[in-house]
Amino acid sequence: MFVTKRSEHNPIMVPDKNHYWEGFATFNLCPVARGKKIYGLYRALSVPDSMQKPTQISTIGIAESKDGARFENRRQFIIPAKDWDMFGCEDPRVTFFEGKYYIFYTGISAFPPDSKSIKVGVAISKDMKKIEERHLVTPFNAKAMTLFPERINGKIAVIFSIHTDEPPAEMVVAYLSEIEDLWNPSFWKKWEENFDQWIINPRRGEKDHVEVGAPPIKTKYGWLLIYSHIQNYFNPTGNENRIFGIEGLLLDLKDPRKIIGRTRGPILVPEEHYELSGYVNDVVFPSGAMVSKDILTIYYGAADTTACLAKVSLKDLVSSMHEDLASDWHFKRFPDNPILSPEKYNSWESKAVFNPAALLVGGKIHILYRALSEDNTSTFGYAMTEDGFLLKERSLTPIYSPREDFEIKKIENANSGCEDPRLTKIGKQILVCYTAFDGIGPPRVAVSVISEKDFLARKWNWTKPHLITPEGLDDKDACFLPEKLKEGYFVLHRIEGEICGDYLSTLDFSKKEVLNKCIRIIGPRLNKWDSSKVGIAAPPMKTKHGWLLLYHGVSKNHNTYRLGALLLDLKDPAIVLARSTDTIFEPEEEYEKVGIVNNVVFPCGMVLKGDQLFIYYGGADKVVGGATISLKVILGALVRGMKLK
């Protein structure tokens, strides 16, 4: 699990209208350190000149920075000067290697460009003040070359994208004995004959496109490669389903052709206005990266117009990717999952059992699960475990059933009843929030209360349920925080796919107080795993750093339910301190992928035993499973994300 945070100063570089050569766009910046300075090389696109063809041309600019975020003294550094780059110099990547700076870039030799005119060139500098020499590197179509910063097994190594304009493009590695081999056509002719053996293929689907991003960074676990992974790039229906993403690979230190770890999804996708609108809309493209202590700074081009940066904890990112470490950074399923399945001899729970609430009280974990009958009526069943894993008790009859008109079935065999409970203990009372539905709708939030004493004695003396959702609103996924705050009792709920908050002044629900605000906490994130809708999972847990809240997110393209995490402010829980970038739990097992609703993990219960965070969840709206993760891991990642600047 990791948190990504964009710079509050983004874009860090914008076009300068006073410089004709960079007046239209300045993007794809790659940094390199020299002493106390950081030099940033970037692609500069000129303002249109109607007397020239092409009317705009790319050159490579250079700027200086002390902090890696504010770049000054911008000037042209590499301009068209050779027959192989006379129509443009694009997308620099720079590496300091054995005493010199090697700046690779894309050279354009024809207009309009075609695959044969797009190749890799290199410029070499000793001091980043002037270029000593430049050469054509690849005799074939290629882009995005960069140099590993040290030899691998005694060889010089480069990584680049071949056949980028003759798809399918491939990400490849080449080993050289001498640096001069870089611009030796004989070397490349021999290498190209067997280039298939040098391919690195991180594509997830046939329609995806990949391209090298930043120069590789050495970590103790492997070479970290930040690269571009574009979903649905080769989509016959058009560009509307393309998603530009920045992802990460871990490559073997001794053989970088071997992928030993990878991100489960994008580190960054287009979300902000400067990424969604520009010369080319909806683009984030990685071009450089630097590490300072534990902070990885990723530089990227936004909408092919500006240069931006984002930061992430290197420890969290690498740990979530590495095959040997990732299992500790994601939820681990119980070995005996599913722990609850439908019971065909009990008609009230014969079709499905799922979406369980959980509460640790009296030294035991009490589970209230949603049970579904064959006529699609939802009630609540009860189970108990002492160790968190093994069930010691399970009710033979429902412990909570529909009682009020707003939850009594109105249409034969339609879904109705009491759905998706969440439990909160406040003082000596235990509150259950649930979705009340009569088959006509819309679904609304209902609350009932039981004393702790009766709850532990299994005397199910629930109070009369009351709706706290105003009439006419579709409202779900609700719970109370376990203590009263300055403004009252805080309720989390979901309106129109967003997690909202509101306050109630009393727990006396007979006064018929209802929610009247939707204080937005989070909503779906464009192009990500939670792009369609979000809702809370279990009631949040108080920590010294903030309220830890797990939430479910649904993807727009695949309708898959996954799990993420938030850290909310202790005094004002409507303030988000940190939000996980990646998902920390997703459907993987058959009982999560196939059921009444496929591809669902849906927790409604979370408890802490020692350092282990237990969640109880519905799998594919059919069964109940459990999983654990170290609180230290999940909370640590959120706190580190909160501190990113």
Side-chain angles (χ1 to χ4, degrees):
M1 174 181 158
F2 58 91
V3 175
T4 308
K5 184 173 286 187
R6 291 168 170 83
S7 170
E8 62 184 14
H9 303 296
N10 275 352
I12 61 168
M13 183 179 289
V14 298
D16 187 340
K17 303 299 183 183
N18 296 315
H19 295 167
Y20 73 94
W21 55 275
E22 62 171 356
F24 189 84
T26 51
F27 59 110
N28 295 359
L29 183 149
C30 185
V32 67
R34 176 174 168 80
K36 294 183 179 180
K37 280 186 180 180
I38 295 173
Y39 288 90
L41 293 160
Y42 59 96
R43 178 176 172 184
L45 187 60
S46 65
V47 295
D49 182 348
S50 59
M51 296 182 68
Q52 299 292 319
K53 287 189 177 181
T55 59
Q56 293 175 281
I57 196 162
S58 289
T59 59
I60 293 172
I62 190 170
E64 301 170 10
S65 176
K66 294 180 180 179
D67 60 4
R70 289 177 284 269
F71 286 86
E72 301 173 339
N73 192 22
R74 288 154 58 166
R75 58 197 185 278
Q76 275 188 308
F77 197 53
I78 302 174
I79 62 175
K82 303 287 184 178
D83 58 355
W84 45 268
D85 68 5
M86 64 186 300
F87 288 100
C89 307
E90 302 177 353
D91 303 341
R93 291 166 177 84
V94 56
T95 302
F96 182 70
F97 178 79
E98 297 184 352
K100 295 182 179 180
Y101 296 90
Y102 291 85
I103 305 160
F104 294 89
Y105 63 94
T106 302
I108 311 297
S109 63
F111 180 80
D114 56 22
S115 61
K116 294 181 176 58
S117 65
I118 301 172
K119 299 173 182 177
V120 172
V122 65
I124 305 170
S125 175
K126 293 179 181 178
D127 54 12
M128 295 302 290
K129 293 181 180 179
K130 65 177 182 178
I131 301 298
E132 276 78 28
E133 53 184 299
R134 60 206 285 185
H135 305 276
L136 174 65
V137 176
T138 59
F140 44 75
N141 175 231
K143 286 181 180 177
M145 182 176 285
T146 188
L147 190 64
F148 284 80
E150 63 182 56
R151 291 177 183 256
I152 299 175
N153 302 321
K155 296 284 189 179
I156 300 166
V158 293
I159 185 169
F160 62 102
S161 299
I162 189 172
H163 301 159
T164 54
D165 302 278
E166 300 170 334
E170 302 289 355
M171 197 181 293
V172 291
V173 170
Y175 290 149
L176 308 89
S177 298
E178 306 292 339
I179 198 70
E180 291 78 12
D181 286 337
L182 273 172
W183 48 87
N184 184 340
S186 297
F187 167 83
W188 288 111
K189 182 179 180 181
K190 185 176 180 180
W191 177 90
E192 190 181 15
E193 290 174 355
N194 299 295
F195 86 89
D196 287 356
Q197 64 180 299
W198 301 103
I199 290 175
I200 302 169
N201 183 12
R203 284 192 294 267
R204 293 190 179 88
E206 294 180 356
K207 297 178 182 178
D208 293 354
H209 177 64
V210 295
E211 190 167 320
V212 173
I217 292 173
K218 189 176 185 181
T219 76
K220 65 179 180 179
Y221 297 109
W223 292 104
L224 174 62
L225 182 72
I226 302 299
Y227 75 104
S228 174
H229 192 128
I230 308 168
Q231 302 174 48
N232 300 314
Y233 186 82
F234 303 108
N235 191 339
T237 62
N239 298 341
E240 62 274 7
N241 292 321
R242 287 183 180 178
I243 300 177
F244 278 74
I246 296 174
E247 299 205 26
L249 294 176
L250 274 180
L251 307 177
D252 187 85
L253 288 173
K254 295 182 179 179
D255 184 0
R257 290 175 296 178
K258 296 179 180 178
I259 298 174
I260 59 174
R262 64 179 303 170
T263 48
R264 291 188 171 195
I267 301 170
L268 214 65
V269 292
E271 292 180 271
E272 300 297 329
H273 67 89
Y274 50 82
E275 300 161 350
L276 299 172
S277 179
Y279 183 45
V280 181
N281 296 341
D282 304 320
V283 172
V284 292
F285 188 86
S287 50
M290 298 190 79
V291 174
S292 176
K293 297 181 180 179
D294 179 52
I295 304 301
L296 172 69
T297 301
I298 299 171
Y299 294 81
Y300 65 97
D304 279 9
T305 304
T306 61
C308 301
L309 67 82
K311 296 186 177 184
V312 62
S313 163
L314 181 64
K315 174 186 176 182
D316 294 341
L317 179 64
V318 171
S319 296
S320 68
M321 295 167 61
H322 195 276
E323 294 174 351
D324 295 335
L325 301 174
S327 61
D328 294 329
W329 288 70
H330 297 95
F331 276 97
K332 296 179 182 178
R333 292 164 176 81
F334 292 179
D336 295 326
N337 271 355
I339 60 171
L340 282 170
S341 297
E343 178 54 71
K344 64 180 180 180
Y345 299 108
N346 293 333
S347 60
W348 58 279
E349 59 175 354
S350 60
K351 187 171 184 178
V353 292
F354 56 116
N355 298 2
L359 189 67
L360 178 60
V361 61
K364 300 175 182 178
I365 297 175
H366 305 268
I367 300 170
L368 262 66
Y369 60 89
R370 177 180 171 185
L372 193 65
S373 64
E374 293 297 334
D375 75 342
N376 298 310
T377 300
S378 288
T379 57
F380 299 153
Y382 171 84
M384 184 272 290
T385 173
E386 295 176 349
D387 63 1
F389 300 96
L390 181 64
L391 295 183
K392 292 285 189 178
E393 187 178 339
R394 180 175 179 177
S395 60
L396 296 176
T397 58
I399 61 102
Y400 195 101
S401 298
R403 292 175 284 165
E404 300 299 316
D405 184 67
F406 54 71
E407 57 196 14
I408 298 295
K409 192 184 300 291
K410 301 296 190 298
I411 301 175
E412 186 178 358
N413 292 321
N415 284 329
S416 67
C418 311
E419 304 175 356
D420 306 344
R422 290 164 174 94
L423 295 169
T424 303
K425 181 177 177 294
I426 303 178
K428 295 295 184 179
Q429 296 186 111
I430 294 173
L431 285 68
V432 61
C433 291
Y434 63 92
T435 301
F437 187 51
D438 63 3
I440 298 175
R444 298 160 73 186
V445 174
V447 184
S448 183
V449 182
I450 191 172
S451 71
E452 179 182 357
K453 181 180 178 181
D454 282 350
F455 186 88
L456 292 176
R458 317 297 192 267
K459 295 179 180 178
W460 306 118
N461 297 318
W462 299 96
T463 62
K464 175 184 173 68
H466 290 277
L467 292 171
I468 59 173
T469 300
E471 189 173 354
L473 277 180
D474 184 329
D475 197 8
K476 289 185 174 184
D477 300 340
C479 76
F480 281 81
L481 263 63
E483 62 184 57
K484 189 174 184 179
L485 302 180
K486 183 179 179 180
E487 295 186 48
Y489 295 97
F490 193 71
V491 182
L492 291 159
H493 57 121
R494 192 190 87 198
I495 299 285
E496 296 181 354
E498 295 189 339
I499 297 177
C500 301
D502 198 359
Y503 290 93
L504 293 180
S505 62
T506 179
L507 296 181
D508 183 358
F509 300 104
S510 65
K511 294 184 177 180
K512 301 186 183 300
E513 189 172 6
V514 297
L515 302 169
N516 56 35
K517 290 183 180 179
C518 179
I519 305 169
R520 185 184 188 275
I521 297 176
I522 64 166
R525 292 183 292 192
L526 190 65
N527 297 322
K528 287 194 174 181
W529 60 270
D530 49 5
S531 58
S532 180
K533 60 183 177 180
V534 293
I536 72 162
M541 177 179 298
K542 189 175 185 179
T543 77
K544 66 179 181 180
H545 301 288
W547 294 102
L548 172 62
L549 174 66
L550 303 185
Y551 75 95
H552 65 262
V554 185
S555 57
K556 185 168 291 186
N557 293 334
H558 306 291
N559 202 37
T560 298
Y561 282 70
R562 300 179 175 92
L563 200 63
L566 299 172
L567 195 61
L568 306 177
D569 186 79
L570 286 174
K571 294 182 179 180
D572 185 354
I575 296 175
V576 178
L577 303 177
R579 181 177 182 177
S580 62
T581 297
D582 58 335
T583 176
I584 54 176
F585 196 57
E586 62 184 335
E588 293 178 355
E589 301 297 329
E590 185 73 9
Y591 58 84
E592 299 160 349
K593 291 183 174 182
V594 179
I596 293 177
V597 180
N598 296 339
N599 299 312
V600 173
V601 289
F602 196 96
C604 292
M606 173 177 72
V607 299
L608 183 66
K609 284 178 67 70
D611 179 56
Q612 290 298 304
L613 199 62
F614 285 68
I615 60 167
Y616 298 89
Y617 66 94
D621 280 11
K622 184 75 173 180
V623 298
V624 170
T628 63
I629 194 173
S630 165
L631 177 64
K632 182 179 179 181
V633 166
I634 194 169
L635 192 59
L638 288 170
V639 170
R640 284 186 288 274
M642 178 180 66
K643 294 179 179 179
L644 290 171
K645 294 182 179 179

